[in-house]
Amino acid sequence: MSLLTRRAADFDGHHLTVSADDGVPIAVREFGASDAAVTVVFAHGHCLRTESWVLLREHLQRHWGESVHMVFYDHRGHGDSGAADPRTYTIDQLAHDLDAVLRAVAPTGPVVLVGHSMGAMVTLAYARLFPEAIGTRIIGVGLIAGAANSVTRVGLGRFLSGPAVTSLQVAVRRAPRVMQASKHFSRRVFEPIMRDAALGTRKVSPRVLAVATTILNETPLLTMSSFLDSLIRFDETATLHRLGVIPSLVLAGSADIVIPFAHSVVLASQLDGAELVRLDGAGHSVILERAEEVAAAIVGLVQRGVAAMTGGPEFGPEYAVAG
């Protein structure tokens, strides 16, 4: 590989496609050495894509270099991954897709899972569906702006359970092209409102705003609406005890009105190995607006996970991670 090609790969990652168990193509990007001592896998939120991690990834690359294998992927129906039957747009299916990604790109070695918003929910569902992996393959979990249940009781999630949502889902399935055109119009109207909801109370940089605006509402309306049923019914409180055997990070912004910080408090209180991090003034897009602080917390999580696995306070020689 030429120096120019290597630099391009370092910047944009190694692109590959993983086939889900039902054949849906899942777009994956890898950074760092594939044979590194530990792999960190990132699962994005509802209606987002791999690019939502871009600022965080830059901080982690500067810290870790090649010593940690980082894996980012788009959920089915999102980003560059393939569309699928809307009946498969469930959090449980996304957990099975996560397992397919792990089998393909990190078949051996310790793994830390990091999920944002719906990605955090996918991580919890994965722990229920694949309990044998927790504490063996999976040595740590990061739950960012997530919840274990009751997402329709507080915050913007209250609007998910209304009749308007049901009407939207019916309309999208009956006339997807018309509704998608309507979405482009409504995006211009509601984009400033949704951006404010995502980005919290602090003034953020123009670059963060540019990334957030680019990502916002690029997901097809059929994908957006089809996942709502699973989000409304989501409840993994009975799963949390499975994660008590490994280190965890529960992080959110105090100004998150999509999934309020109270959800993180409840999560952390039920996880024996949890570190609870509150970033004052940050909104639901905390991984964009406070990327450096979130990256530092993830670095700490990986250190705790490897230390617990090796039985020592620091990385052993075989698990050395550049700092």
Side-chain angles (χ1 to χ4, degrees):
M1 181 184 293
S2 70
L3 179 60
L4 182 61
T5 302
R6 186 165 61 250
R7 285 176 176 170
D10 290 343
F11 176 77
D12 200 37
H14 171 58
H15 291 242
L16 66 154
T17 300
V18 170
S19 181
D21 293 340
D22 61 356
V24 174
I26 303 297
V28 178
R29 288 194 214 175
E30 295 179 278
F31 296 81
S34 60
D35 60 351
V38 63
T39 296
V40 184
V41 180
F42 297 82
H44 65 73
H46 182 228
C47 294
L48 298 177
R49 56 190 301 167
T50 293
E51 281 78 2
S52 65
W53 300 104
V54 63
L55 302 183
L56 178 70
R57 188 188 72 226
E58 290 174 359
H59 288 290
L60 292 174
Q61 282 183 289
R62 282 194 290 269
H63 183 88
W64 283 328
E66 292 286 304
S67 65
V68 170
H69 180 209
M70 292 192 291
V71 176
F72 302 83
Y73 70 100
D74 291 330
H75 296 306
R76 60 177 56 210
H78 294 75
D80 294 327
S81 289
D85 186 325
R87 290 173 295 183
T88 71
Y89 287 169
T90 68
I91 293 174
D92 273 15
Q93 179 61 59
L94 296 186
H96 283 287
D97 292 348
L98 169 58
D99 182 62
V101 170
L102 287 173
R103 296 196 313 265
V105 303
T108 61
V111 174
V112 174
L113 300 178
V114 178
H116 170 243
S117 191
M118 186 176 74
M121 300 176 185
V122 172
T123 299
L124 294 177
Y126 177 88
R128 169 174 50 82
L129 293 169
F130 303 94
E132 69 284 353
I134 307 302
T136 53
R137 293 284 328 279
I138 310 303
I139 63 168
V141 292
L143 307 172
I144 301 174
N149 68 342
S150 304
V151 295
T152 60
R153 293 183 186 175
V154 292
L156 291 182
R158 288 175 297 173
F159 299 104
L160 291 179
S161 56
V165 171
T166 302
S167 299
L168 171 66
Q169 291 172 315
V170 172
V172 168
R173 287 170 183 168
R174 289 181 177 175
R177 291 184 180 178
V178 173
M179 293 302 297
Q180 190 66 30
S182 173
K183 177 189 169 188
H184 291 317
F185 172 77
S186 64
R187 180 171 63 186
R188 292 197 298 269
V189 176
F190 292 107
E191 187 175 87
I193 299 171
M194 294 306 297
R195 187 174 62 195
D196 289 345
L199 295 178
T201 60
R202 288 191 177 187
K203 184 178 180 180
V204 296
S205 73
R207 186 182 181 202
V208 170
L209 287 176
V211 173
T213 302
T214 299
I215 294 171
L216 184 67
N217 284 343
E218 285 191 349
T219 305
L221 197 53
L222 183 60
T223 298
M224 180 188 299
S225 63
S226 297
F227 273 105
L228 294 181
D229 284 338
S230 191
L231 290 169
I232 290 169
R233 296 193 307 269
F234 182 77
D235 188 344
E236 290 288 351
T237 51
T239 301
L240 297 179
H241 73 281
R242 300 186 188 278
L243 297 174
V245 299
I246 60 175
S248 58
L249 166 69
V250 180
L251 182 150
S254 66
D256 189 339
I257 63 173
V258 179
I259 300 181
F261 185 75
H263 280 290
S264 291
V265 174
V266 172
L267 263 178
S269 71
Q270 299 180 69
L271 297 172
D272 292 338
E275 176 191 11
L276 177 63
V277 176
R278 166 181 163 140
L279 295 183
D280 289 332
H284 195 60
S285 292
V286 62
I287 60 175
L288 285 173
E289 51 181 316
R290 305 289 282 277
E292 185 172 7
E293 292 161 275
V294 178
I298 291 173
V299 168
L301 169 66
V302 173
Q303 290 176 333
R304 289 191 295 127
V306 174
M309 178 186 65
T310 59
E314 303 291 342
F315 291 105
E318 69 275 33
Y319 294 106
V321 175

